[in-house]
Amino acid sequence: MAAHTGNSLRCLGYARQWFCFRRHRFIILPNRRHSVSESGVLYLLNKRGILKDAFPDTAGQLQLPMLLESGSQTVYCGFDPTAESLHVGNLLAIIGLLHFRSAGHNAIALIGGATAQIGDPSGKATEREPLSEKSIEQNTRGIRDCLERIFTNHELYSPRNSKKPLGTVNILNNASWYRGRDVVEFLSTVGRHFRMGTLLSRHSVQSRLKSADGMSLTEFSYQIFQAYDFYHLNQHHDCRIQLGGTDQLGNLMSGYEFIHKVTEQQVFGLTIPLVTTSTGDKLGKTAGNAVWLNRDKTSPFELYQYFVRQLDSNAQRYLKLFTFLPLPEIEHIMDQHGREPEKRGAQKRLAAEVTKLVHGKEGLESAKRCTNALYQGSLDALEKMTDEELQELFREAPFYELLLEPGTSVLDMCRKASAIPDGARGYQMITDGGVWLNHARVTSPEQVLIPGQHILNNGLTLIRIGKKNFYIVKWLRL
């Protein structure tokens, strides 16, 4: 081992890797005497762009790599249940946990059933609206289901780049250790270890104190609770590493300082970059542009299309961030994409891998069926779609159940589905070619519906009026 120290950059060679930190930022350089080992999880995360900052930087240069090499460790990341589902902005934190799990380390996903009642002020200009206990319980169920599904899909479908067995994964709820806790006892035993000057110096606190609305005591105390969560996991699950977004660095510091002060044990914080939109805005539910990870809020088709529509400039970075594909394979995908960018091969592979991770193979197949049905006019794909898929694909489309009577015509159906106005105007819309059934234009209002043509084998008819107005009819037979 050797270390090089300069004014602003300190480097250390360990386990055939060079880990350098400049103001907490990871830089990994090739070892001057040995080939760079690509087996270390820190090296891999850095190469994929998943690591951004480390805390503390001085101890982390030596002790964190040594700790990870010494045996299986426990890493955690927290998710407050402020909505019924996680979103794409949370996905990178989950993927970070999964990379540690793939390297043989143990992962804890902590649902903040207690801290959701307080509200994390990090990155927020105003205080969060308080949530009822019923809402938090409902949100917790949705987030737990989401996490369990992604962890299972990763185990089933993601490529394994390590010979080490997968580490364990646990989903916990911090409400379990705050429930029944006496507030006076908590303040006297925990609160006394926190210094006001340090808490006030955090960026999340400073930015809010300077705002017009200021900051409530409830929000101010959030970093104490997150610090205690880290301490509890450290004491009961031997957890020594916390992952979080870059806006969580202050909270990570509070956890480190509290644990170090009480136990003198060295623990570590790692931050991951925040996913932003093409305009640089944070991709999250409060930004009004959320892409959710639960099917009832964002369908597999919508998730798939979100990644298919990514700019070429995002494709390689997102393949590294959001998939588990080996880096050489990503380079090969990008080489092919460079030769034929119009085929959007990189985006389609990205979309397929993310959809499979979030919704499984069935979700990916559903997304592809919907894509073929909508954009390629595939009658076969339309015929194989379930009622749920049709309603997801045409989320704003009215859904009707109609009784199929002998002699039902195109005009009868369109009127019963309220797709056209009554009288001569609706009749003329059909004759003028403004009505499509199952992607085929119809111009004869009196045409009797033909099974297999106007009525698909799954008992459905898709009506389109003009370019964008859809109606779905499910037929009930006599």
Side-chain angles (χ1 to χ4, degrees):
M1 181 191 71
H4 295 264
T5 307
N7 293 331
S8 60
L9 178 68
R10 184 176 177 187
C11 302
L12 134 122
Y14 175 76
R16 296 185 296 162
Q17 300 173 27
W18 284 87
F19 295 88
C20 301
F21 300 78
R22 187 194 305 271
R23 296 181 181 177
H24 309 306
R25 182 152 304 187
F26 276 96
I27 308 169
I28 299 184
L29 305 175
N31 190 295
R32 292 180 173 83
R33 290 173 295 178
H34 304 284
S35 62
V36 178
S37 169
E38 298 186 7
S39 61
V41 65
L42 291 181
Y43 176 91
L44 175 65
L45 292 176
N46 182 76
K47 288 284 285 184
R48 301 187 79 99
I50 296 175
L51 283 188
K52 186 172 178 63
D53 300 314
F55 187 85
D57 55 351
T58 52
Q61 292 177 53
L62 175 61
Q63 295 184 24
L64 181 56
M66 289 182 63
L67 180 67
L68 292 169
E69 289 286 337
S70 67
S72 179
Q73 303 301 318
T74 300
V75 185
Y76 104 92
C77 185
F79 306 91
D80 278 351
T82 54
E84 294 176 314
S85 170
L86 298 175
H87 51 79
V88 168
N90 303 121
L91 187 56
L92 195 56
I94 301 172
I95 287 174
L97 285 178
L98 291 174
H99 275 294
F100 275 100
R101 188 189 182 202
S102 294
H105 302 292
N106 303 318
I108 294 176
L110 179 64
I111 300 177
T115 44
Q117 300 177 57
I118 297 171
D120 185 0
S122 302
K124 300 297 175 186
T126 58
E127 188 165 2
R128 299 171 186 264
E129 289 294 325
L131 294 170
S132 67
E133 187 174 339
K134 182 178 179 181
S135 294
I136 291 175
E137 289 177 358
Q138 182 176 336
N139 294 347
T140 297
R141 286 194 296 271
I143 289 177
R144 178 178 289 275
D145 290 345
C146 178
L147 290 167
E148 288 176 347
R149 185 178 67 252
I150 293 174
F151 289 146
T152 299
N153 290 337
H154 169 259
E155 191 167 344
L156 290 174
Y157 306 124
S158 294
R160 294 279 287 116
N161 302 321
S162 172
K163 294 181 180 179
K164 295 180 180 179
L166 285 172
T168 63
V169 60
N170 281 304
I171 301 174
L172 305 177
N173 187 340
N174 65 9
S176 64
W177 53 82
Y178 289 115
R179 191 177 292 115
R181 190 80 186 261
D182 180 74
V183 64
V184 175
E185 181 270 335
F186 182 80
L187 286 174
S188 66
T189 58
V190 177
R192 68 174 62 255
H193 294 286
F194 293 86
R195 305 270 71 84
M196 286 297 299
T198 304
L199 296 177
L200 286 167
S201 69
R202 304 297 187 216
H203 179 266
S204 60
V205 174
Q206 285 292 311
S207 60
R208 289 294 301 280
L209 289 177
K210 295 175 183 177
S211 68
D213 293 334
M215 187 181 209
S216 70
L217 176 62
T218 302
E219 282 188 300
F220 180 72
S221 68
Y222 185 91
Q223 56 184 308
I224 298 176
F225 284 92
Q226 184 167 327
Y228 185 80
D229 287 343
F230 196 1
Y231 169 79
H232 180 91
L233 295 176
N234 173 262
Q235 295 297 296
H236 294 273
H237 298 272
D238 197 25
C239 178
R240 298 183 64 182
I241 305 167
Q242 180 182 177
L243 278 181
T246 53
D247 58 351
Q248 294 292 308
L249 185 58
N251 294 337
L252 268 63
M253 289 178 178
S254 293
Y256 161 80
E257 291 163 357
F258 175 53
I259 294 171
H260 191 67
K261 186 177 293 185
V262 174
T263 70
E264 297 186 353
Q265 189 177 22
Q266 188 68 277
V267 294
F268 307 90
L270 297 173
T271 66
I272 56 179
L274 295 176
V275 182
T276 57
T277 65
S278 57
T279 59
D281 296 325
K282 179 181 175 181
L283 190 66
K285 57 185 181 300
T286 51
N289 59 353
V291 178
W292 303 93
L293 304 183
N294 282 5
R295 183 169 189 156
D296 58 347
K297 295 177 74 69
T298 296
S299 69
F301 165 75
E302 291 168 320
L303 180 68
Y304 181 87
Q305 287 300 318
Y306 171 78
F307 284 99
V308 164
R309 292 169 183 163
Q310 288 300 316
L311 300 174
D312 284 348
S313 57
N314 288 337
Q316 184 171 18
R317 176 171 175 255
Y318 281 11
L319 279 166
K320 291 179 179 179
L321 291 177
F322 292 112
T323 80
F324 294 88
L325 297 173
L327 294 177
E329 185 173 350
I330 291 175
E331 291 180 8
H332 177 68
I333 291 170
M334 293 309 301
D335 286 343
Q336 290 183 318
H337 179 75
R339 290 191 291 269
E340 298 177 302
E342 69 282 358
K343 291 186 176 180
R344 302 187 71 78
Q347 288 93 333
K348 289 178 180 177
R349 185 62 185 277
L350 167 67
E353 292 296 321
V354 174
T355 305
K356 186 167 59 175
L357 175 66
V358 175
H359 294 294
K361 281 188 176 179
E362 297 81 4
L364 175 57
E365 290 169 1
S366 172
K368 288 184 175 179
R369 272 196 302 273
C370 292
T371 298
N372 291 337
L374 184 61
Y375 295 119
Q376 299 177 18
S378 171
L379 195 63
D380 180 63
L382 195 61
E383 213 161 36
K384 292 178 180 177
M385 291 175 67
T386 64
D387 295 3
E388 181 185 30
E389 288 172 343
L390 271 172
Q391 291 182 68
E392 288 174 346
L393 180 57
F394 305 103
R395 198 175 285 275
E396 304 301 322
F399 187 91
Y400 294 91
E401 289 187 338
L402 301 179
L403 186 65
L404 181 60
E405 299 174 337
T408 301
S409 68
V410 171
L411 181 64
D412 295 333
M413 175 187 63
C414 289
R415 282 179 174 169
K416 288 179 180 179
S418 301
I420 59 173
D422 291 332
R425 186 179 167 211
Y427 191 95
Q428 187 175 354
M429 286 176 66
I430 300 175
T431 58
D432 288 347
V435 176
W436 299 67
L437 301 184
N438 303 329
H439 296 311
R441 178 181 275 129
V442 291
T443 56
S444 176
E446 308 300 338
Q447 169 70 58
V448 174
L449 298 179
I450 302 172
Q453 180 181 345
H454 303 120
I455 303 172
L456 301 176
N457 291 335
N458 55 4
L460 297 170
T461 298
L462 178 66
I463 305 172
R464 175 162 65 90
I465 307 298
K467 293 183 178 180
K468 296 181 179 180
N469 298 312
F470 291 92
Y471 302 81
I472 302 169
V473 175
K474 181 177 178 63
W475 293 102
L476 306 175
R477 299 183 183 272
L478 290 171

